Amino acid sequence: MEKIIVPGSESKKLAEKVAKNSNLKICKTELRRFPDNEIYLRILTDVKGRHCIVIQSTPTSDAFLELIFILDTLKDLGAETINAIIPYIGYSRQDKRFLPGEAISIKTILGVISEKADRITTVNAHFLSKFPNEYESLKIKNLTAFPLIAKYFKKKLKRPVLIAPDKGALRYVKEAASVLNCKFGYFEKKRISSEEVEMKIEDIDVSGKDAVILDDIISTGGTMLKAIEILKNENANTINVGCVHAVLLKGIEKVAKFADEVICTDSIFREKFSKVSLAKIISENL
Ligand code: R5P
């Protein structure tokens, strides 16, 4: 049965790269807005009996809604199977009830997606690094982009050391360290508010080295800015930053003002910053 790539508007370029790498056809869609801004979606290619690979990150609620419309319509039109590849899944950080009565948003999001897709594939999902067992029944394939990010820096830096901005990111740094074959450390991080964090460096000498801070997400940039400030005081030779998901453009732009280089992947495409493409790992996992 023939496979076909179905691109969502949020991941169009990435989907085109995956299609090219894998020699697969792209499904034609029409996406526009009604006068009141509601989303209009139409699938223009015949998908009956086909294996549909939908690629759409969901950094906004509209992107999520578009994904749901695509999945539902493909099913209605007789797709044989549907693999929802969602490089960045929004609401990933609302993954537990921090305060009584709060919505566990990611659980709801995944509930809706898994009803409509046969498989879910994602990349460095925040909730899976914290609660892998919670979502076992959904059989989500969680790819990692850190070896690719490490390879990018390997070509550029002479004396790299890797730093995790908190203990949660240490697993990512360990993955990257095995590619770069270098030392690594981490920061103790305490969140004061949604925009402010307190941090202390642990067990690593960065003086004269090319420091690379790695994390899954840059949102407001607060975490990275604090880490950069400390590394500057510790006399790092250069300070570089890599993340998988640059959730807010203004966040990564802010970080870029204070670092030698800042990069992210194209899970959410950011002009100037998306130096590492996920196309390779996605193509290998269709
Ligand atoms: C948190 O656990 C994440 O891994 C990131 O460190 C966090 O989301 C970054 O947010 P911000 O850029 O707003 O500090």
Side-chain angles (χ1 to χ4, degrees), residues 148-260:
L148 294 177
I149 294 175
K151 272 185 201 151
Y152 176 87
F153 283 117
K154 193 172 186 173
K155 286 188 205 140
K156 301 205 135 197
L157 304 176
K158 286 206 173 83
R159 302 180 68 202
V161 285
L162 299 178
I163 325 283
D166 58 26
K167 267 194 181 155
L170 203 49
R171 58 164 61 212
Y172 308 136
V173 159
K174 281 182 185 164
E175 260 180 66
S178 66
V179 175
L180 281 159
N181 200 14
C182 68
K183 293 202 168 131
F184 57 87
Y186 69 99
F187 285 95
E188 263 316 335
K189 176 171 118 178
K190 205 169 114 195
R191 194 166 270 286
I192 313 289
S193 70
S194 61
E195 299 232 349
E196 221 190 321
V197 287
E198 199 177 84
M199 288 164 64
K200 202 167 105 229
I201 194 164
E202 295 289 336
D203 296 338
I204 181 119
D205 181 12
V206 296
S207 169
K209 306 266 172 55
D210 298 313
V212 184
I213 319 165
L214 296 178
D215 206 352
D216 56 348
I217 292 173
I218 292 179
S219 180
T220 65
T223 304
M224 287 298 182
L225 288 181
K226 197 82 201 165
I228 291 169
E229 190 188 312
I230 298 169
L231 293 176
K232 278 201 170 138
N233 290 335
E234 299 276 330
N235 298 319
N237 177 41
T238 61
I239 300 175
N240 309 276
V241 171
C243 77
V244 182
H245 313 294
V247 171
L248 291 180
L249 176 61
K250 65 175 192 227
I252 196 166
E253 281 177 342
K254 213 196 282 177
V255 175
K257 286 191 188 137
F258 298 92
D260 291 278

Side-chain angles (χ1 to χ4, degrees), residues 3-40:
K3 283 184 184 169
I4 188 164
I5 303 281
V6 186
S9 62
E10 197 61 49
S11 303
K12 212 162 175 274
K13 281 190 186 163
L14 177 58
E16 278 164 7
K17 279 190 185 169
V18 173
K20 201 169 167 209
N21 279 357
S22 324
N23 209 12
L24 291 176
K25 283 201 183 106
I26 292 214
C27 171
K28 286 205 175 72
T29 59
E30 182 185 347
L31 182 78
R32 55 181 170 84
R33 297 275 174 171
F34 287 107
D36 58 2
N37 217 32
E38 286 182 351
I39 296 167
Y40 170 94

